[in-house]
Amino acid sequence: MGKPQSSIPRHRDPGEQQPRAYPYASGGWGSVKAVTHILVQEKAVLRDLRILPHQNKPDGFMCVSCSWAKPAHPHTFEFCENGAKATAWDTTSKRADRAFFERHTVTELLGWHDHDIEDAGRLTEPMRYDENSDRYVPVSWDAAFEAIGAELRALDPDSVVFYSSGRASLETSYMLQLFARMYGTNNMPDSSNMCHESTSVGLTQAIGVGVGTVGLDDFEHTDLMFFFGQNVGTNSPRMLHQLQDARRRGVPIITFNPLREPGLISFANPQSPRDMLLPGDTKISTQYHQLRPGGDSAVLAGMCKVVIEAHDEAMALGGADILDTAFIRDHTTGFEDFANWARSAKWHDIERYSGLPRESIEEAARAYMQAKAVIAHYGMGMTQHRLGVQNVRLLCNLLFLRGNIGKPGAGPSPVRGHSNVQGQRTVGITEKPELAPLDQLARQFNFEPPREAGFNTVEAFEAMIDGRVRAVVNLGGNLVRAVPDRVRTEPAWRNLGLTVNIATKLNRSHLIHGRQAWLLPCLSRIEIDRTGGREQVVSMEDSTARFHGSRGVAEPASAHIRSEPFIVAGLARATLRERSTVDWRAWSEAYSLVRDEIAQTWPDVFHDFEKRMWTPGGFMRPLPARERMWKTKSGKAEFHVPESLDEDPDMPGSEPGALRLMTLRADGQFNTTIYDLDDRFRGVHGSRMVLLMNREDMDERGVETGDRITLCTVANDGILREVAGLAAMPYDVPRGCLGGYYPECNPLLPLWHYAKESKVPAAKSIPVRVVAVEKPGKR
Ligand SMILES: Nc1nc2c(c(=O)[nH]1)N[C@H]1C(S)=C(S)[C@@H](COP(=O)(O)OP(=O)(O)OC[C@H]3O[C@@H](n4cnc5c(=O)[nH]c(N)nc54)[C@H](O)[C@@H]3O)O[C@H]1N2
Ligand SMILES: Nc1nc2c(c(=O)[nH]1)N[C@H]1C(S)=C(S)[C@@H](COP(=O)(O)OP(=O)(O)OC[C@H]3O[C@@H](n4cnc5c(=O)[nH]c(N)nc54)[C@H](O)[C@@H]3O)O[C@H]1N2
Ligand SMILES: [Mo]
């Protein structure tokens, strides 16, 4: 089974896995080597060497990898190893064309490794699933649109889900939300439902905007940075430029992460000859605290306690303020309740739930009290927990105590994932009707939008499992791999009546298909878009709320693929027919018309869109919290009193022998896209079926390096969730805590194990038990 010509070794025996510490700093020569490797693997060398200099340039294309800010004065090569990999992956010369689908049945392809499925190359023409031959077969665009439109018209709109994965442009996203609402549903989950939704909920409650307030300019003014649960070297490497500059100014960086991440320890800039030649790498983290997974609320509460009590003491002794009392008085509400809670919090509980000694928390708090302007960066280590929203609220509490928001060099900095995930939300992709300007859309397009809440990602799968959802239309993504609880979600997906996938490459979610299934291949943003006979451009929003234009530079992978706006317009036209007041064809032939409509819907954000989208460094969306204006319920920044510091009150995770599993990303992947089987920073090579374990936890269970572990979820809900064949590897993680890879470990995550309020799956704290240990050497 499988594809013999695979360019990387497949299914290499995980028993061969030997831990080897990564000897280099993040970036550096290893990074150059990894880029060269992927260019060769994708047979894309010459083309890509011409393409890469346009990446993240004011007049070039915006990288399809992470969403980190694009500077106004970019480096000559404003991309990182992973951005280069993402570009090579899209501009590959490999093709999953009609000959490919003639050679392979869907059942056969299902036996392939995820890497090999996507590595088949770019999709080249529209396809429909043919039951008789068990193959995807070519179909014309018009026939595809007509057939899908007819199916959708026959369905109840509330039984259809429109998922967006976070990469599509503002123009496409705006068109998709309008199409879905005109069709009659708010069922618009997106990838942020599994990602930073805890941020969108928590920051909105605390400061009145659902996004971070920090921009690149703030890095020049900060004098302390925190990193909570974000792995910058792997997941937003371009940010290392700013971190390195800040470190050179002597700015301390304090990291809280259960795992000692080599990418958070030191950095060598592969684009700086000086750094490459000098051995002394820049140190990234000046303090590194290995809390236990889910311990962030306790750490943040502990730091707040130290600061508040230090202020109390200073007041008693007639000393100077430690709290920013003017900020607290003029700008916040709820301080007294929180301060009293913090004063009464017990160190015993804080230590127990954080897994850190009091001294470590005090050390971090002391640095915080000495700093005038503080940025708090954070990622999935904070948001993907039962108390993910509370984590975000307590981070804000800590910042409020010393007025660290709405001034240069300070503020919360959620580091977003997908390159336009923040922007999709800005232009109306949301299942929450209160977040979309429904009245404005109703006036602008003369229709009655649905007012009921739609499904987020978890709810969409709950509804799929019990049969309420019959069809999905996916704008990118690979949901079958990305969501929890594979034993329940895969069969539900397979039971669907209709699956429509707008995608660049084949993945497993296309192979586990509905009764009717369609593959609609689209252009990548890197490619020149000549829809309507002229060159079209698109736009996106980065992680710091700046909007940028993006212009493709590479020739399209095939003459028969279409742009995302063209495909969404085609589906909308064929589905809505005369019900729609929109000239979808005209929109898909001139995206500036779509931008005009976006500007009309949100004039304060998008006025003069056409002109401003080429501003170097992007143009900024108004962020009232940055100006110390609070669009919250109370009109103030809101302190929050935590309900509990125990991350998993409802999971029997504390039962004897239970361990907490964090599911992580390797540097050889972008989410479910597996570029290669290596995680060089963590010293893992040739396999992703690896379990990072604390040495003492291994000894206690008689586990040796390379033993194959079977894990089972501790959930007491009668469902067996198991993953077998994980090669044990000793790693610097706290006792009781495990690291495994996403998506391989997703079968262990129950669908109902999610953050309260945001429903982000709690992927960083899955209670599991070791149920079998196999010794490969001793068979
Ligand atoms: N190369 C690459 N880049 C990417 C992606 C990719 O897959 N590959 N994915 C993109 C997407 S969609 C996203 S959302 C971002 C994700 O980027 P990140 O937010 O960095 O997400 P993860 O890699 O899942 O995990 C982050 C870190 O959280 C730590 N951690 C785990 N549990 C806890 C905890 O309880 N507390 C704390 N403090 N830390 C914890 C882990 O050890 C890990 O270092 O990256 C984006 N960029
Ligand atoms: N256990 C666990 N589960 C997780 C996470 C975790 O940390 N642990 N992280 C969660 C997070 S943060 C996220 S964001 C989700 C990600 O979940 P998804 O958004 O569903 O997954 P991706 O892997 O980003 O989607 C990859 C696919 O998108 C398609 N694609 C790529 N580029 C384009 C394009 O330009 N246009 C279109 N139309 N399609 C394109 C390709 O077909 C590719 O196969 O996973 C979540 N799941
Ligand atoms: Mo994400």
Side-chain angles (χ1 to χ4, degrees):
M1 273 210 308
K3 189 175 51 129
Q5 72 274 29
S6 174
S7 45
I8 56 162
R10 303 176 53 243
H11 306 304
R12 188 190 292 171
D13 183 356
E16 290 172 26
Q17 186 58 50
Q18 288 300 324
R20 271 183 283 143
Y22 183 64
Y24 313 104
S26 39
W29 290 110
S31 172
V32 172
K33 202 168 138 218
V35 171
T36 316
H37 176 80
I38 185 104
L39 292 179
V40 174
Q41 175 184 300
E42 296 310 310
K43 303 193 178 65
V45 181
L46 282 175
R47 276 207 311 167
D48 282 38
L49 287 180
R50 286 200 305 267
I51 293 167
L52 287 171
H54 297 278
Q55 196 150 328
N56 298 322
K57 291 298 166 55
D59 194 39
F61 68 94
M62 293 300 128
C63 179
V64 296
S65 192
C66 82
S67 59
W68 185 242
K70 283 74 183 166
H73 305 291
H75 297 245
T76 316
F77 293 95
E78 184 63 36
F79 60 87
C80 66
E81 168 195 339
N82 279 317
K85 280 187 197 167
T87 299
W89 197 247
D90 274 13
T91 57
T92 176
S93 53
K94 301 176 190 174
R95 298 287 178 269
D97 54 12
R98 64 166 76 188
F100 171 86
F101 286 103
E102 272 166 28
R103 281 199 304 276
H104 307 291
T105 64
V106 165
T107 308
E108 184 207 332
L109 291 170
L110 272 171
W112 288 20
H113 187 280
D114 281 357
H115 165 84
D116 295 343
I117 296 174
E118 265 201 55
D119 196 40
R122 290 286 299 278
L123 296 163
T124 60
E125 60 185 314
M127 298 259 168
R128 86 177 155 78
Y129 178 68
D130 173 54
E131 206 176 356
N132 293 325
S133 61
D134 184 31
R135 283 179 171 80
Y136 273 104
V137 296
V139 60
S140 75
W141 281 103
D142 281 339
F145 291 150
E146 280 312 312
I148 297 166
E151 283 283 314
L152 288 176
R153 274 197 308 278
L155 287 165
D156 170 3
D158 281 329
S159 71
V160 180
V161 163
F162 294 83
Y163 171 77
S164 334
S165 157
R167 197 175 276 196
S169 64
L170 295 171
E171 291 79 356
T172 310
S173 307
Y174 184 79
M175 291 168 76
L176 185 78
Q177 63 83 30
L178 190 62
F179 166 34
R181 294 200 163 100
M182 286 186 163
Y183 172 59
T185 184
N186 282 316
N187 287 342
M188 275 175 277
D190 79 341
S191 56
S192 71
N193 287 149
M194 298 176 271
C195 185
H196 266 293
E197 187 65 18
S198 303
T199 294
S200 309
V201 173
L203 287 186
T204 303
Q205 293 169 354
I207 61 171
V209 294
V211 301
T213 63
V214 167
L216 287 182
D217 46 331
D218 288 306
F219 283 76
E220 292 158 27
H221 302 284
T222 191
D223 48 20
L224 173 69
M225 289 190 257
F226 285 116
F227 261 90
F228 282 93
Q230 205 273 340
N231 190 12
V232 55
T234 293
N235 295 327
S236 49
R238 285 183 303 108
M239 188 179 183
L240 289 167
H241 288 308
Q242 285 86 42
L243 297 184
Q244 192 175 35
D245 291 345
R247 286 290 304 117
R248 289 209 174 108
R249 288 197 295 113
V251 173
I253 295 180
I254 302 180
T255 296
F256 289 94
N257 197 312
L259 221 115
R260 244 185 115 70
E261 295 282 22
L264 276 161
I265 291 171
S266 60
F267 169 60
N269 183 348
Q271 294 170 5
S272 149
R274 182 181 156 272
D275 283 4
M276 295 289 278
L277 295 174
L278 298 177
D281 305 320
T282 317
K283 191 168 161 194
I284 298 176
S285 300
T286 47
Q287 287 183 31
Y288 203 110
H289 301 292
Q290 290 178 268
L291 80 176
R292 72 165 207 170
D296 302 82
S297 272
V299 164
L300 288 159
M303 278 202 274
C304 289
K305 180 180 174 69
V306 175
V307 178
I308 290 167
E309 289 177 352
H311 178 83
D312 289 347
E313 205 180 306
M315 292 304 98
L317 298 172
D321 283 352
I322 290 173
L323 298 172
D324 185 340
T325 47
F327 177 83
I328 292 172
R329 184 191 61 226
D330 297 342
H331 288 285
T332 70
T333 166
F335 169 72
E336 274 312 323
D337 287 345
F338 174 65
N340 288 333
W341 178 91
R343 289 180 187 113
S344 66
K346 301 272 175 297
W347 275 110
H348 170 78
D349 291 334
I350 293 171
E351 289 188 323
R352 170 162 160 234
Y353 291 124
S354 67
L356 290 177
R358 175 175 176 170
E359 298 71 50
S360 299
I361 296 174
E362 284 175 341
E363 185 193 358
R366 267 197 304 279
Y368 179 69
M369 290 189 285
Q370 281 157 14
K372 290 197 180 65
V374 178
I375 295 176
H377 305 287
Y378 68 92
M380 298 300 100
M382 286 266 286
T383 61
Q384 294 179 331
H385 281 293
R386 291 278 300 151
L387 298 180
V389 174
Q390 176 179 291
N391 286 342
V392 173
R393 295 294 307 266
L394 290 181
L395 183 103
C396 291
N397 281 8
L398 179 67
L399 293 175
F400 295 160
L401 290 179
R402 288 181 45 83
N404 277 310
I405 183 167
K407 69 181 183 191
S413 167
V415 184
R416 298 268 169 173
H418 269 295
S419 51
N420 194 35
V421 64
Q422 193 163 312
Q424 292 190 336
R425 291 285 175 163
T426 302
V427 296
I429 298 270
T430 174
E431 73 286 0
K432 295 175 179 163
E434 67 277 16
L435 296 185
L438 296 184
D439 294 335
Q440 171 61 28
L441 292 173
R443 278 194 301 276
Q444 201 170 330
F445 299 105
N446 193 23
F447 78 114
E448 197 34 64
R451 304 275 166 170
E452 317 72 52
F455 297 133
N456 58 31
T457 303
V458 164
E459 291 160 352
F461 276 85
E462 288 167 347
M464 230 176 272
I465 288 168
D466 61 28
R468 282 173 291 144
V469 164
R470 296 305 307 140
V472 292
V473 178
N474 298 304
L475 180 56
N478 184 2
L479 271 180
V480 163
R481 291 307 258 171
V483 297
D485 235 351
R486 203 161 296 153
V487 282
R488 297 168 68 218
T489 48
E490 263 192 29
W493 186 268
R494 195 184 287 286
N495 248 335
L496 291 167
L498 172 70
T499 49
V500 179
N501 285 290
I502 304 170
T504 46
K505 285 193 164 183
L506 189 66
N507 66 42
R508 196 167 296 276
S509 301
H510 311 154
L511 299 172
I512 300 173
H513 54 79
R515 188 174 42 80
Q516 302 242 24
W518 304 83
L519 277 179
L520 307 178
C522 63
L523 290 169
S524 153
R525 181 157 82 228
I526 303 169
E527 291 165 330
I528 303 167
D529 180 348
R530 301 188 180 92
T531 311
R534 64 184 113 171
E535 237 174 76
Q536 306 276 357
V537 293
V538 293
S539 55
M540 38 230 49
E541 177 178 351
D542 70 28
S543 194
T544 61
R546 264 77 169 174
F547 301 102
H548 307 262
S550 178
R551 189 189 304 279
V553 296
E555 278 305 315
S558 149
H560 308 293
I561 59 176
R562 294 289 178 267
S563 73
E564 290 176 324
F566 177 92
I567 298 171
V568 172
L571 291 173
R573 222 165 2 103
T575 308
L576 303 171
R577 292 185 165 174
E578 59 287 340
R579 269 172 64 202
S580 172
T581 53
V582 169
D583 187 346
W584 295 98
R585 193 184 298 275
W587 282 17
S588 73
E589 291 179 356
Y591 307 167
S592 57
L593 295 177
V594 184
R595 287 189 287 275
D596 290 346
E597 300 289 348
I598 294 176
Q600 205 176 319
T601 309
W602 296 276
D604 50 334
V605 183
F606 289 107
H607 63 88
D608 302 313
F609 195 176
E610 209 56 29
K611 196 168 74 212
R612 291 197 297 158
M613 68 192 272
W614 301 109
T615 311
F619 73 90
M620 203 185 137
R621 113 186 204 194
L623 290 177
R626 212 176 136 89
E627 318 301 325
R628 296 197 166 176
M629 291 187 295
W630 317 102
K631 304 282 180 197
T632 55
K633 281 201 191 114
S634 61
K636 302 267 185 183
E638 297 195 6
F639 275 98
H640 177 71
V641 178
E643 58 173 279
S644 160
L645 298 181
D646 181 3
E647 181 52 52
D648 279 306
D650 62 338
M651 292 288 277
S654 52
E655 77 174 47
L659 299 162
R660 254 161 220 261
L661 172 70
M662 312 179 276
T663 52
L664 306 164
R665 293 166 162 76
D667 87 316
Q669 78 185 92
F670 190 91
N671 297 339
T672 69
T673 295
I674 311 300
Y675 301 127
D676 56 54
L677 302 183
D678 296 339
D679 189 0
R680 358 177 239 112
F681 292 144
R682 298 195 185 108
V684 177
H685 298 276
S687 172
R688 296 173 49 85
M689 291 301 283
V690 169
L691 193 62
L692 309 179
M693 293 185 81
N694 175 289
R695 174 67 81 182
E696 288 168 54
D697 285 331
M698 289 174 73
D699 292 347
E700 194 178 270
R701 290 167 178 76
V703 172
E704 293 163 296
T705 303
D707 287 357
R708 314 285 179 78
I709 308 288
T710 303
L711 290 181
C712 173
T713 309
V714 184
N716 294 345
D717 64 352
I719 296 172
L720 178 66
R721 298 181 181 84
E722 241 182 32
V723 169
L726 296 165
M729 176 169 162
Y731 209 82
D732 192 352
V733 289
R735 280 212 73 172
C737 143
L738 301 170
Y741 289 111
Y742 140 68
E744 287 78 359
C745 289
N746 283 41
L748 294 165
L749 179 52
L751 189 59
W752 47 262
H753 185 51
Y754 51 65
K756 293 178 186 178
E757 300 179 274
S758 71
K759 295 207 171 174
V760 171
K764 297 291 186 272
S765 189
I766 313 174
V768 293
R769 196 186 298 114
V770 173
V771 289
V773 181
E774 205 188 310
K775 307 251 171 215
K778 298 189 182 144
R779 257 176 311 194

